Amino acid sequence: MKIRLLLSLLLWVVISSSDAAMVVQPSATPLTIAPKAKGKFIHVVCVWLKPDLDRRDIKDFEKAMRELKKIKTVRSMEIGKPAGTKRDVVDNTYSYMMVFYFNDATGHDLYQIDPIHQDFVDKHKAKWTRIQVYDALVE
């Protein structure tokens, strides 16, 4: 736990002082973010849960999603299920969508390595079959 905190602090210092693009590797998934990019950062996560989960597993997952709001760099977060709209361009096959709002790309990078996020992934990754992420920089 102390090592994760130290690594998070070290990453924050490096991100805050760097002028070059940097690569962060949370959970072995590389991120490439230009720290000087201006604007709000939106992180959309679609999750496809395994169909054989029982009610308790689903409730645990829902509770854990809400815990992600506690991460300091998350400005706001919304959780939803498919709306059921019927158009060819709409994908209603996912189980949950989480939409995160950050002040900037650095806030998103720090979220990725936050112990709350890492714990969420470690404890719940066996519950999903697929994750799809969409990131946007809004100027």
Side-chain angles (χ1 to χ4, degrees), residues 12-26:
W12 179 82
V13 170
V14 170
I15 289 172
S16 298
S17 63
S18 175
D19 286 338
M22 71 179 355
V23 176
V24 180
Q25 289 191 320

Side-chain angles (χ1 to χ4, degrees), residues 86-97:
K86 297 185 184 334
R87 295 190 340 254
D88 290 343
V89 296
V90 177
D91 180 356
N92 286 306
T93 63
Y94 61 91
S95 305
Y96 289 95
M97 178 185 285

Side-chain angles (χ1 to χ4, degrees), residues 12-126:
W12 179 82
V13 170
V14 170
I15 289 172
S16 298
S17 63
S18 175
D19 286 338
M22 71 179 355
V23 176
V24 180
Q25 289 191 320
S27 300
T29 303
L31 291 173
T32 304
I33 300 295
K36 285 192 165 190
K38 301 279 189 231
K40 296 176 188 171
F41 195 96
I42 301 172
H43 178 65
V44 178
V45 181
C46 296
V47 181
W48 284 258
L49 292 177
K50 291 181 177 177
D52 60 344
L53 293 180
D54 62 30
R55 278 184 165 248
R56 194 171 115 210
D57 285 335
I58 294 169
K59 291 296 176 191
D60 287 346
F61 183 77
E62 290 172 345
K63 181 180 177 185
M65 283 190 298
R66 290 189 297 273
E67 291 291 310
L68 294 169
K69 290 180 184 182
K70 294 180 178 179
I71 297 174
K72 290 182 182 182
T73 61
V74 173
R75 292 298 145 231
S76 65
M77 176 194 179
E78 298 169 322
I79 300 168
K81 293 182 179 182
T85 48
K86 297 185 184 334
R87 295 190 340 254
D88 290 343
V89 296
V90 177
D91 180 356
N92 286 306
T93 63
Y94 61 91
S95 305
Y96 289 95
M97 178 185 285
M98 294 177 275
V99 181
F100 297 87
Y101 300 90
F102 300 94
N103 286 341
D104 52 29
T106 301
H108 166 263
D109 289 357
L110 292 171
Y111 155 85
Q112 288 291 334
I113 61 170
D114 188 282
I116 296 171
H117 179 257
Q118 292 294 310
D119 189 54
F120 172 80
V121 173
D122 291 344
K123 287 183 178 176
H124 299 283
K125 64 185 172 188

